[in-house]
């Protein structure tokens, strides 16, 4: 059984005392991850097995989700976005796997239960705090996992990625996370009630600079977008720049995914 989950670009986030109290502003994008889940057999019969583009790999949140669902399965992942570069690929892979496994094995879980399984697996693995809530809904999502606000948006998004930033390391840095909590809350509070993607991206860049994450390459890409009349910022967490209001400035172009994860 196959399922797709959109990637997501987190523009701003603020960790809470618990993972369910974390909040942010993110956009689901049309490029995502497809999970093809089948029953495990042979050497894979005792443990979940995961491949990415056909290559066996350790993918902890996906493996945790399968264990939480109490199935021994093989999950073959096809990623349309770079993994580990701020596109929520681990969340998309985990959510798509949970949805596909539920259908493949006739588990009968509700959508809400599957999202909760994927979220807990991400948090336990240290690979994300709330990506799956965005990937479940689609569009522009602002708030926390409890009652986020969703907005339909259709502006094209351009992006470029220079490399990964280890999410696990960032989430484990107490001083950095304290700064992110303070600055992220301020950025989210500054958003208008009905934010455009340009509104969000502008606040996101102020947030990225306040927490001192942008590299020289990121700054140069943002300056190129601004020189062309657009707005750009840095994806959380990756050495990745996303932009709105330009055409042909950054090498990759996608769009907002209006719908959430689904069976394929």
């Amino acid at each position: 059984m196959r399922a797709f989950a959109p990637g997501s670009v987190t523009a701003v986030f603020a960790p809470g005392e618990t993972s369910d109290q974390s909040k942010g502003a993110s956009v689901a994008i049309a490029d995502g991850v497809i999970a093809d889940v089948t029953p495990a057999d042979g050497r894979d019969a005792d443990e979940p097995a995961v491949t990415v583009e056909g290559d066996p790999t350790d993918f902890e949140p996906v493996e945790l989700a399968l264990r939480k669902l109490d199935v021994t399965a093989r999950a073959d992942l096809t990623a349309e976005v770079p993994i580990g570069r701020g596109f929520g690929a681990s969340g998309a892979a985990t959510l798509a796997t949970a949805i596909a496994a539920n259908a493949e094995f006739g588990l009968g879980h509700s959508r809400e239960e599957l999202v909760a399984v994927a979220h807990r697996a991400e948090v336990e693995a240290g690979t994300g705090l709330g990506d799956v809530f965005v990937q479940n809904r689609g569009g522009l999502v602002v708030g926390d996992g409890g009652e986020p606000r969703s907005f339909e948006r259709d502006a094209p998004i351009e992006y470029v990625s220079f490399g990964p930033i280890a999410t696990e390391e960032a989430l484990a840095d107490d001083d950095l996370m304290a700064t992110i909590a303070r600055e992220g809350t301020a950025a989210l509070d500054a958003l208008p009630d009905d934010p455009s993607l340009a509104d969000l991206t502008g606040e996101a860049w102020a947030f990225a600079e306040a927490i001192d994450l942008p590299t020289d390459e990121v700054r140069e890409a943002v300056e190129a977008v601004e020189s062309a009349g657009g707005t750009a910022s840095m994806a959380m967490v990756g050495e990745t720049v996303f932009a709105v209001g330009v055409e042909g400035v950054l090498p990759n172009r996608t769009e907002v995914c209006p719908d959430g994860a689904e069976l394929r």
Side-chain angles (χ1 to χ4, degrees):
M1 189 66 65
R2 288 160 59 92
F4 166 82
S8 60
V9 175
T10 296
V12 180
F13 75 103
E17 292 185 8
T18 68
S19 64
D20 291 333
Q21 294 174 328
S22 297
K23 53 190 176 181
S26 306
V27 181
I29 59 174
D31 303 338
V33 178
I34 296 171
D36 187 358
V37 176
T38 55
D41 55 24
R43 290 183 305 168
D44 303 329
D46 295 328
E47 290 290 337
V50 182
T51 68
V52 177
E53 311 295 344
D55 295 326
T57 186
D58 292 328
F59 210 123
E60 186 177 2
V62 171
E63 295 166 10
L64 283 171
L66 290 171
R67 291 191 182 97
K68 291 178 184 297
L69 292 171
D70 198 24
V71 297
T72 306
R74 177 186 180 92
D76 296 307
L77 307 176
T78 302
E80 301 168 343
V81 292
I83 294 174
R85 298 193 179 191
F87 292 97
S90 61
T94 306
L95 180 58
T97 296
I99 291 171
N102 186 60
E104 176 69 26
F105 294 95
L107 302 178
H109 291 297
S110 69
R111 181 63 170 247
E112 183 178 33
E113 290 169 335
L114 295 173
V115 172
V117 165
H119 174 60
R120 288 197 299 271
E122 270 252 277
V123 171
E124 289 180 24
T127 53
L129 288 176
D131 290 330
V132 299
F133 298 121
V134 181
Q135 294 156 345
N136 177 54
R137 288 173 171 264
L140 166 61
V141 180
V142 180
D144 57 31
E147 296 183 2
R149 295 178 291 151
S150 299
F151 306 91
E152 292 185 8
R153 296 290 181 263
D154 59 7
I157 297 172
E158 293 193 350
Y159 65 87
V160 63
S161 183
F162 302 107
I165 293 177
T167 303
E168 298 94 328
E169 292 180 12
L171 296 181
D173 185 329
D174 292 339
D175 290 339
L176 174 61
M177 293 305 286
T179 302
I180 288 174
R182 182 182 67 251
E183 299 296 340
T185 298
L188 291 168
D189 289 345
L191 286 174
D193 291 337
D194 188 18
S196 67
L197 290 184
D199 291 330
L200 173 60
T201 308
E203 290 296 339
W205 183 236
F207 166 69
E209 290 197 297
I211 62 176
D212 198 28
L213 277 186
T215 62
D216 290 342
E217 286 181 305
V218 165
R219 291 184 183 280
E220 290 172 7
V222 170
E223 288 172 3
V225 170
E226 292 176 344
S227 295
T231 309
S233 187
M234 180 181 182
M236 298 292 145
V237 182
E239 196 179 358
T240 293
V241 174
F242 67 95
V244 294
V246 291
E247 183 172 355
V249 176
L250 303 181
N252 303 292
R253 192 170 177 87
T254 187
E255 58 189 16
V256 179
C257 180
D259 304 308
E262 61 184 10
L263 289 171
R264 284 280 176 92

